[in-house]
Amino acid sequence: MSRPTGQSRPTAPPGRAAERSRPTAPPGRAAERSRPTAPLWRAAQVFRLATLAYAVGYQLTAVAEYTRPTLSWVLVASMAVWSGVAAVALSRDTGARRGWVIADLVVVLAVMGATRLVADPGWYSTHQTLPTTLWATNAVISAAILRGPVVGVVAGLLVAVTDAVVSGRFDLDLARDATAPVLVSVGLAVGMAANTARRAQAQLERAAHLAAATEERERLGREVHDGVLQVLAYVRRRGSEIGGPAAELATLAGEQEVALRELISEQAAPSLAGDTAEVDLRALLRVESSTAVSVSAPAEPVVMPRRRAEEVAAVVRTALSNVELHAGASAKAYVLLEDLGVEVIVSVRDDGVGIAPGRLEVAASEGRMGVSRSIRGRVAALGGTATLDTAEGEGVEWEIRVSKEGLA
């Protein structure tokens, strides 16, 4: 649509323009804390330091039985240094976490293998390894948080096999040695917890984006309705009343009004995942608002499967189209949406001329199926009911009842 000459294009208020142009700050620590697995990483590092304390205590009790006590203290000191470095590195949300987790696993396996350097076969075949099984669990936990339960179980098995190789014990008697089941269970449980946290975060983000998109589309829809749609509707009605050359302008305005309403209807129902997702029925109905149509809906979203919601909206559009065509030039229509939990009720009422007795049967015999197919047929396909209440000179009211869930 061309802009009349002599009019300047409106400019945005300076404050709003400056707000749009203001650069956004980097996410920083706030974004790091919002990561879904961040609490797990922090808790894992606290556990790492606690297990280090246990390993040092174990060293104090076992050092007298080692053949190389000095080397054992060097290894324990290396464990302490690595625990501090790994705790700092893994608690930070950086792209290097994968490398640190791999290094953590390598260090754990190496220190476990070094047990044979500090003790004789009689000792390490009947005791746990130098770094203790509890301290070795840190590598399993890190792998599980990073990649989920499968990688966590694999890491647990790897640590358990290393423990069996170092000690020379391949005993399946779980009553005597439950190292392998414990390590595998830790990898499985922590990995599942990490995946659950990621899924919950992803769903929360999708819900937030959907709510923001819905709010923005409704705002744009209101602005379009308050401006363009009302002007087009006014031009269509006045052109039809004036007739002559203005009738062609009325026809064009009517076509553009219908096209714009359909576009808004398509954009007003964002979904999470295509046609199988759920949408807010209120958004589909509110785009029908005009100077002649009033739409009332609950304050809370009326969520339905997308296909069912679109079919209900199509029924309402057909009813409103009948009001425009048959109720009279000055008729007003009122749409009321009610949410009863398991079902919705949509009432479409007008104050027009009503329907004379037998008129619907005559229309059906003439091949005009707006009521029988577009309204009653659609509602029947949804498993609902469509009740018509009308009398000549008293307007028309449709009451449409449809369950929220169904195959359609």
PDB file of all heavy atoms in Angstrom, residues 71 73 87 90 99 115 127 134 156 180 184 186 223 248 288 291 297 335 343 371:
ATOM      1  N   LEU A  71      57.549 -42.801  48.002  1.00  0.00           N
ATOM      2  CA  LEU A  71      56.846 -42.690  46.716  1.00  0.00           C
ATOM      3  C   LEU A  71      55.336 -42.581  46.920  1.00  0.00           C
ATOM      4  O   LEU A  71      54.646 -41.854  46.200  1.00  0.00           O
ATOM      5  CB  LEU A  71      57.176 -43.895  45.846  1.00  0.00           C
ATOM      6  CG  LEU A  71      56.492 -43.948  44.483  1.00  0.00           C
ATOM      7  CD1 LEU A  71      56.842 -42.705  43.668  1.00  0.00           C
ATOM      8  CD2 LEU A  71      56.858 -45.217  43.729  1.00  0.00           C
ATOM      9  N   TRP A  73      53.825 -41.098  49.374  1.00  0.00           N
ATOM     10  CA  TRP A  73      53.499 -39.719  49.747  1.00  0.00           C
ATOM     11  C   TRP A  73      53.584 -38.784  48.535  1.00  0.00           C
ATOM     12  O   TRP A  73      52.793 -37.840  48.419  1.00  0.00           O
ATOM     13  CB  TRP A  73      54.442 -39.230  50.848  1.00  0.00           C
ATOM     14  CG  TRP A  73      54.027 -39.677  52.211  1.00  0.00           C
ATOM     15  CD1 TRP A  73      54.690 -40.543  53.027  1.00  0.00           C
ATOM     16  CD2 TRP A  73      52.842 -39.272  52.898  1.00  0.00           C
ATOM     17  NE1 TRP A  73      53.989 -40.719  54.207  1.00  0.00           N
ATOM     18  CE2 TRP A  73      52.848 -39.936  54.151  1.00  0.00           C
ATOM     19  CE3 TRP A  73      51.774 -38.438  52.596  1.00  0.00           C
ATOM     20  CZ2 TRP A  73      51.827 -39.786  55.095  1.00  0.00           C
ATOM     21  CZ3 TRP A  73      50.766 -38.268  53.530  1.00  0.00           C
ATOM     22  CH2 TRP A  73      50.794 -38.949  54.767  1.00  0.00           C
ATOM     23  N   ALA A  87      39.150 -29.459  40.508  1.00  0.00           N
ATOM     24  CA  ALA A  87      37.962 -28.844  41.113  1.00  0.00           C
ATOM     25  C   ALA A  87      37.730 -27.447  40.564  1.00  0.00           C
ATOM     26  O   ALA A  87      36.589 -27.059  40.266  1.00  0.00           O
ATOM     27  CB  ALA A  87      38.137 -28.800  42.629  1.00  0.00           C
ATOM     28  N   LEU A  90      36.829 -27.834  36.546  1.00  0.00           N
ATOM     29  CA  LEU A  90      35.529 -28.421  36.219  1.00  0.00           C
ATOM     30  C   LEU A  90      34.364 -27.626  36.777  1.00  0.00           C
ATOM     31  O   LEU A  90      33.229 -27.796  36.315  1.00  0.00           O
ATOM     32  CB  LEU A  90      35.469 -29.855  36.747  1.00  0.00           C
ATOM     33  CG  LEU A  90      36.411 -30.842  36.044  1.00  0.00           C
ATOM     34  CD1 LEU A  90      36.347 -32.203  36.703  1.00  0.00           C
ATOM     35  CD2 LEU A  90      36.072 -30.954  34.559  1.00  0.00           C
ATOM     36  N   GLY A  99      38.172 -32.074  27.837  1.00  0.00           N
ATOM     37  CA  GLY A  99      39.577 -32.408  28.027  1.00  0.00           C
ATOM     38  C   GLY A  99      39.922 -32.659  29.477  1.00  0.00           C
ATOM     39  O   GLY A  99      40.693 -33.579  29.805  1.00  0.00           O
ATOM     40  N   THR A 115      49.784 -48.219  42.391  1.00  0.00           N
ATOM     41  CA  THR A 115      49.721 -48.933  43.668  1.00  0.00           C
ATOM     42  C   THR A 115      50.733 -50.077  43.706  1.00  0.00           C
ATOM     43  O   THR A 115      51.323 -50.379  44.749  1.00  0.00           O
ATOM     44  CB  THR A 115      48.298 -49.477  43.896  1.00  0.00           C
ATOM     45  OG1 THR A 115      47.361 -48.398  43.851  1.00  0.00           O
ATOM     46  CG2 THR A 115      48.194 -50.175  45.250  1.00  0.00           C
ATOM     47  N   HIS A 127      43.812 -55.338  49.593  1.00  0.00           N
ATOM     48  CA  HIS A 127      43.375 -53.998  49.999  1.00  0.00           C
ATOM     49  C   HIS A 127      42.933 -53.213  48.760  1.00  0.00           C
ATOM     50  O   HIS A 127      43.229 -53.578  47.621  1.00  0.00           O
ATOM     51  CB  HIS A 127      44.501 -53.246  50.712  1.00  0.00           C
ATOM     52  CG  HIS A 127      44.896 -53.855  52.015  1.00  0.00           C
ATOM     53  ND1 HIS A 127      45.698 -54.959  52.100  1.00  0.00           N
ATOM     54  CD2 HIS A 127      44.590 -53.503  53.310  1.00  0.00           C
ATOM     55  CE1 HIS A 127      45.895 -55.278  53.369  1.00  0.00           C
ATOM     56  NE2 HIS A 127      45.229 -54.408  54.130  1.00  0.00           N
ATOM     57  N   LEU A 134      36.878 -44.660  46.628  1.00  0.00           N
ATOM     58  CA  LEU A 134      36.008 -43.483  46.771  1.00  0.00           C
ATOM     59  C   LEU A 134      36.565 -42.301  45.985  1.00  0.00           C
ATOM     60  O   LEU A 134      35.820 -41.589  45.306  1.00  0.00           O
ATOM     61  CB  LEU A 134      35.864 -43.139  48.249  1.00  0.00           C
ATOM     62  CG  LEU A 134      34.799 -42.086  48.599  1.00  0.00           C
ATOM     63  CD1 LEU A 134      33.425 -42.578  48.194  1.00  0.00           C
ATOM     64  CD2 LEU A 134      34.830 -41.755  50.093  1.00  0.00           C
ATOM     65  N   GLY A 156      32.599 -46.088  34.767  1.00  0.00           N
ATOM     66  CA  GLY A 156      32.558 -46.924  35.961  1.00  0.00           C
ATOM     67  C   GLY A 156      33.149 -48.298  35.721  1.00  0.00           C
ATOM     68  O   GLY A 156      33.895 -48.830  36.553  1.00  0.00           O
ATOM     69  N   ALA A 180      32.594 -52.920  41.502  1.00  0.00           N
ATOM     70  CA  ALA A 180      32.060 -52.717  40.154  1.00  0.00           C
ATOM     71  C   ALA A 180      30.598 -52.269  40.164  1.00  0.00           C
ATOM     72  O   ALA A 180      30.240 -51.281  39.507  1.00  0.00           O
ATOM     73  CB  ALA A 180      32.237 -53.987  39.325  1.00  0.00           C
ATOM     74  N   VAL A 184      29.421 -48.573  38.664  1.00  0.00           N
ATOM     75  CA  VAL A 184      28.468 -48.535  37.547  1.00  0.00           C
ATOM     76  C   VAL A 184      27.182 -47.822  37.966  1.00  0.00           C
ATOM     77  O   VAL A 184      26.609 -47.023  37.213  1.00  0.00           O
ATOM     78  CB  VAL A 184      28.170 -49.958  37.053  1.00  0.00           C
ATOM     79  CG1 VAL A 184      27.001 -49.956  36.064  1.00  0.00           C
ATOM     80  CG2 VAL A 184      29.402 -50.561  36.388  1.00  0.00           C
ATOM     81  N   VAL A 186      26.831 -45.522  40.268  1.00  0.00           N
ATOM     82  CA  VAL A 186      27.099 -44.086  40.377  1.00  0.00           C
ATOM     83  C   VAL A 186      27.080 -43.432  38.996  1.00  0.00           C
ATOM     84  O   VAL A 186      26.467 -42.372  38.794  1.00  0.00           O
ATOM     85  CB  VAL A 186      28.458 -43.847  41.071  1.00  0.00           C
ATOM     86  CG1 VAL A 186      28.878 -42.387  40.927  1.00  0.00           C
ATOM     87  CG2 VAL A 186      28.368 -44.216  42.539  1.00  0.00           C
ATOM     88  N   GLU A 223      -2.307  -4.396  17.577  1.00  0.00           N
ATOM     89  CA  GLU A 223      -1.984  -3.171  16.854  1.00  0.00           C
ATOM     90  C   GLU A 223      -2.540  -3.188  15.439  1.00  0.00           C
ATOM     91  O   GLU A 223      -3.074  -2.191  14.943  1.00  0.00           O
ATOM     92  CB  GLU A 223      -0.465  -2.975  16.838  1.00  0.00           C
ATOM     93  CG  GLU A 223       0.119  -2.644  18.197  1.00  0.00           C
ATOM     94  CD  GLU A 223       1.602  -2.341  18.130  1.00  0.00           C
ATOM     95  OE1 GLU A 223       2.158  -2.388  17.008  1.00  0.00           O
ATOM     96  OE2 GLU A 223       2.204  -2.053  19.185  1.00  0.00           O
ATOM     97  N   GLU A 248     -15.976  -1.397  -6.082  1.00  0.00           N
ATOM     98  CA  GLU A 248     -14.756  -2.132  -6.423  1.00  0.00           C
ATOM     99  C   GLU A 248     -13.709  -1.963  -5.324  1.00  0.00           C
ATOM    100  O   GLU A 248     -13.014  -2.919  -4.942  1.00  0.00           O
ATOM    101  CB  GLU A 248     -14.198  -1.629  -7.755  1.00  0.00           C
ATOM    102  CG  GLU A 248     -12.943  -2.373  -8.196  1.00  0.00           C
ATOM    103  CD  GLU A 248     -12.419  -1.858  -9.526  1.00  0.00           C
ATOM    104  OE1 GLU A 248     -13.065  -0.954 -10.113  1.00  0.00           O
ATOM    105  OE2 GLU A 248     -11.367  -2.350  -9.970  1.00  0.00           O
ATOM    106  N   GLU A 288     -10.226 -12.850  15.158  1.00  0.00           N
ATOM    107  CA  GLU A 288     -11.519 -12.597  14.508  1.00  0.00           C
ATOM    108  C   GLU A 288     -12.167 -11.311  15.014  1.00  0.00           C
ATOM    109  O   GLU A 288     -13.208 -10.905  14.487  1.00  0.00           O
ATOM    110  CB  GLU A 288     -12.466 -13.779  14.767  1.00  0.00           C
ATOM    111  CG  GLU A 288     -11.937 -15.130  14.321  1.00  0.00           C
ATOM    112  CD  GLU A 288     -11.651 -15.204  12.841  1.00  0.00           C
ATOM    113  OE1 GLU A 288     -12.341 -14.485  12.079  1.00  0.00           O
ATOM    114  OE2 GLU A 288     -10.753 -15.949  12.433  1.00  0.00           O
ATOM    115  N   THR A 291     -14.678  -4.463  14.437  1.00  0.00           N
ATOM    116  CA  THR A 291     -15.683  -3.526  14.939  1.00  0.00           C
ATOM    117  C   THR A 291     -17.052  -4.181  15.055  1.00  0.00           C
ATOM    118  O   THR A 291     -17.905  -3.701  15.800  1.00  0.00           O
ATOM    119  CB  THR A 291     -15.774  -2.317  13.996  1.00  0.00           C
ATOM    120  OG1 THR A 291     -16.031  -2.774  12.661  1.00  0.00           O
ATOM    121  CG2 THR A 291     -14.473  -1.525  14.008  1.00  0.00           C
ATOM    122  N   ALA A 297     -12.516 -14.209  26.187  1.00  0.00           N
ATOM    123  CA  ALA A 297     -11.825 -15.456  26.490  1.00  0.00           C
ATOM    124  C   ALA A 297     -11.285 -15.399  27.911  1.00  0.00           C
ATOM    125  O   ALA A 297     -11.133 -14.310  28.484  1.00  0.00           O
ATOM    126  CB  ALA A 297     -10.685 -15.698  25.495  1.00  0.00           C
ATOM    127  N   VAL A 335     -18.410 -13.612  20.459  1.00  0.00           N
ATOM    128  CA  VAL A 335     -17.797 -14.933  20.626  1.00  0.00           C
ATOM    129  C   VAL A 335     -17.345 -15.049  22.074  1.00  0.00           C
ATOM    130  O   VAL A 335     -16.604 -14.202  22.582  1.00  0.00           O
ATOM    131  CB  VAL A 335     -16.597 -15.127  19.677  1.00  0.00           C
ATOM    132  CG1 VAL A 335     -15.969 -16.503  19.883  1.00  0.00           C
ATOM    133  CG2 VAL A 335     -17.034 -14.947  18.230  1.00  0.00           C
ATOM    134  N   GLU A 343     -13.096 -30.005  28.561  1.00  0.00           N
ATOM    135  CA  GLU A 343     -13.694 -29.575  27.311  1.00  0.00           C
ATOM    136  C   GLU A 343     -13.783 -28.054  27.263  1.00  0.00           C
ATOM    137  O   GLU A 343     -13.632 -27.380  28.285  1.00  0.00           O
ATOM    138  CB  GLU A 343     -15.085 -30.192  27.108  1.00  0.00           C
ATOM    139  CG  GLU A 343     -16.130 -29.666  28.063  1.00  0.00           C
ATOM    140  CD  GLU A 343     -17.518 -30.211  27.761  1.00  0.00           C
ATOM    141  OE1 GLU A 343     -17.661 -30.986  26.807  1.00  0.00           O
ATOM    142  OE2 GLU A 343     -18.465 -29.825  28.478  1.00  0.00           O
ATOM    143  N   VAL A 371     -23.687 -24.685   7.040  1.00  0.00           N
ATOM    144  CA  VAL A 371     -24.064 -25.122   8.377  1.00  0.00           C
ATOM    145  C   VAL A 371     -23.877 -26.621   8.537  1.00  0.00           C
ATOM    146  O   VAL A 371     -23.274 -27.098   9.498  1.00  0.00           O
ATOM    147  CB  VAL A 371     -25.527 -24.725   8.672  1.00  0.00           C
ATOM    148  CG1 VAL A 371     -25.998 -25.380   9.973  1.00  0.00           C
ATOM    149  CG2 VAL A 371     -25.654 -23.208   8.778  1.00  0.00           C
TER     150      VAL A 371
END
